[in-house]
Amino acid sequence: MTDHQRQALMRRAIHLSAENVQRGGGPFGAVIVRDGTIVGEGFNRVTASNDPTAHAEMVAIREACRHLKTFTLAGCEIYTSCEPCPMCLSAIYWARLDRIWFANTKVDAAEIQFDDHFIYDELAKDVAHRTIPMRGMLRDEALAVFRDWQANASRIRY
């Protein structure tokens, strides 16, 4: 793919973010591409859908997976108007996208009150020291389910 094509894809992601701002939504857009063809798009829908996970990248991943009828996006790239937050970055890894292209940085986002630094700090802490209390329970029962899944010869690995 040429630089001109990549720039056009990034401009599409930026355009989606700008359109969403005009509708009263957050300033984020994303495009997922396979072999030069857009297979998924998204813009921030957090407030529109009352869904804190409806970030542009998450919406684009869901759309691309529906379109391609798969849970893995290996062979695809994402163009996003801003460096992904920790949740979106994790989803990108889980989806196995090949490459991330971004425009604004996480520092740019923090300057307009979209600061994820506290999440990175929380993830680095031991579970016992996180802001939201976390306590384990019924592990033996849950481990039995893990063993059942592992013993299932027809399981689908992901």
Side-chain angles (χ1 to χ4, degrees):
M1 193 175 319
T2 68
D3 283 343
H4 179 71
Q5 290 169 314
R6 284 188 189 96
Q7 289 172 2
L9 292 165
M10 183 59 77
R11 284 190 178 100
R12 177 64 186 156
I14 294 167
H15 177 75
L16 289 169
S17 70
E19 281 185 332
N20 201 45
V21 167
Q22 295 305 311
R23 288 189 293 269
F28 304 98
V31 174
I32 296 178
V33 178
R34 175 176 275 170
D35 299 324
T37 301
I38 294 174
V39 295
E41 292 185 336
F43 51 84
N44 186 284
R45 298 194 36 77
V46 170
T47 57
S49 64
N50 294 317
D51 178 354
T53 69
H55 291 199
E57 298 91 338
M58 302 293 282
V59 173
I61 287 169
R62 291 171 185 149
E63 184 177 295
C65 287
R66 269 193 305 277
H67 175 80
L68 297 172
K69 296 177 175 52
T70 183
F71 57 83
T72 178
L73 296 175
C76 296
E77 296 183 347
I78 188 166
Y79 292 78
T80 180
S81 65
C82 188
E83 186 175 354
C85 75
M87 175 184 67
C88 294
L89 184 59
S90 297
I92 289 165
Y93 276 100
W94 279 113
R96 295 180 178 82
L97 286 147
D98 290 356
R99 185 177 305 245
I100 303 166
W101 300 90
F102 64 92
N104 291 318
T105 68
K106 62 184 177 183
V107 173
D108 298 329
E111 288 176 0
I112 62 165
Q113 284 72 54
F114 288 97
D115 189 357
D116 299 321
H117 195 265
F118 75 98
I119 297 172
Y120 289 108
D121 289 346
E122 285 291 302
L123 291 172
K125 292 179 185 176
D126 182 81
V127 170
H129 296 98
R130 292 187 178 157
T131 302
I132 299 175
M134 296 178 67
R135 302 292 182 263
M137 61 187 299
L138 301 177
R139 182 169 178 239
D140 290 341
E141 293 177 31
L143 281 173
V145 178
F146 274 15
R147 285 190 294 275
D148 289 346
W149 181 83
Q150 193 171 25
N152 182 350
S154 63
R155 72 184 180 271
I156 298 172
R157 292 182 162 269
Y158 57 95

